[in-house]
Amino acid sequence: MAASGWVSYCPYGVDVTEAFEQLRQAVFERREYSVPGDLLAGTDEATLNQIAPPTRDLKKLLKISQALDQAFGSMGFDTKDAEQQTRDVEKMIRKIDKDGFAAAAREALGKQNASPPQTIDELREQCAEAGTHSLLDIDHLSPTPEPGAATPLSEEALQTLFGTTTPTKAQVEAAVAEGKLHERCARWQAVYFAVYEEGTPVELVFVGVSGD
């Protein structure tokens, strides 16, 4: 799955950090994010089987994992969790051999998503490197661009994009539709700025790109 561009609005607040945290919670509660199973739900079995990694490669990785479990265990390391993961992979490979990749993947992700996450942290752990394809992949604010951060868009950039430093929502949505705002975001990063109505800031908008 490729990265996704997303946009999230919240009421304007002088305390941007507080507004950001409240918006993250709202995005989570409104379920405005994606989990790995969402991709499978909209993809036919033929396509899933076509993009599946060769089973022989998975079996090679399984043997490596089993050897590592044994090696680290003999050195006194706690390999309980690793061994369970290895067994889970082994079960999935048997399922792939029997029913095909699509059926195995749907079953595995169905079990994973059986218990909806109760917190943002649980969701992020569940999605792991796939990300949530939403604001929830951004966990802090920063004055300069960095992974996982939302950065304020400069007045110079606002002027270039909108011809003004006080853009309206209509201008923002037009820029989003044209892809001009997402072009300014590296993957796993976001920008934010105020949205105006008759010269008064009324909302904050966060625009980002995240997910794999």
Side-chain angles (χ1 to χ4, degrees):
M1 186 174 184
S4 300
W6 44 263
V7 182
S8 293
Y9 292 90
C10 68
Y12 179 80
V14 176
D15 189 332
V16 178
T17 299
E18 182 179 355
F20 169 68
E21 293 299 340
Q22 290 177 350
L23 178 57
R24 291 182 84 241
Q25 187 61 36
V27 167
F28 176 70
E29 292 175 357
R30 294 195 297 256
R31 220 291 194 179
E32 295 176 353
Y33 56 81
S34 296
V35 295
D38 293 340
L39 174 62
L40 297 186
T43 306
D44 62 85
E45 291 198 6
T47 300
L48 286 173
N49 286 325
Q50 186 176 6
I51 64 175
T55 305
R56 64 178 180 275
D57 291 345
L58 294 176
K59 290 179 178 178
K60 289 179 182 178
L61 291 173
L62 175 61
K63 288 183 178 179
I64 293 172
S65 181
Q66 290 170 332
L68 288 172
D69 290 345
Q70 184 176 0
F72 283 116
S74 66
M75 290 187 287
F77 288 96
D78 183 358
T79 59
K80 181 179 179 181
D81 290 341
E83 289 176 1
Q84 181 58 56
Q85 291 175 358
T86 298
R87 288 193 293 271
D88 290 342
V89 171
E90 187 174 11
K91 289 179 182 177
M92 185 171 185
I93 290 174
R94 287 201 298 267
K95 180 72 174 178
I96 292 173
D97 283 338
K98 179 182 177 183
D99 300 319
F101 176 79
R106 292 187 195 283
E107 180 179 292
L109 287 171
K111 291 178 180 178
Q112 178 181 325
N113 299 330
S115 300
Q118 300 301 305
T119 66
I120 294 174
D121 287 342
E122 286 183 15
L123 170 67
R124 284 164 60 95
E125 182 177 354
Q126 183 184 99
C127 292
E129 65 275 4
T132 70
H133 297 259
S134 76
L135 177 72
L136 301 180
D137 293 322
I138 305 301
D139 56 18
H140 66 286
L141 305 180
S142 172
T144 56
E146 61 184 44
T151 306
L153 200 60
S154 68
E155 290 191 354
E156 180 182 358
L158 289 169
Q159 189 69 43
T160 299
L161 281 165
F162 305 111
T164 177
T165 58
T166 58
T168 64
K169 192 163 189 174
Q171 289 176 303
V172 173
E173 291 179 343
V176 168
E178 295 171 7
K180 293 181 178 179
L181 274 170
H182 289 114
E183 288 176 355
R184 293 183 171 268
C185 303
R187 187 180 291 197
W188 305 107
Q189 295 182 25
V191 297
Y192 68 89
F193 54 93
V195 181
Y196 290 76
E197 185 176 303
E198 297 182 354
T200 300
V202 292
E203 289 182 295
L204 286 171
V205 61
F206 292 80
V207 181
V209 177
S210 65
D212 280 319

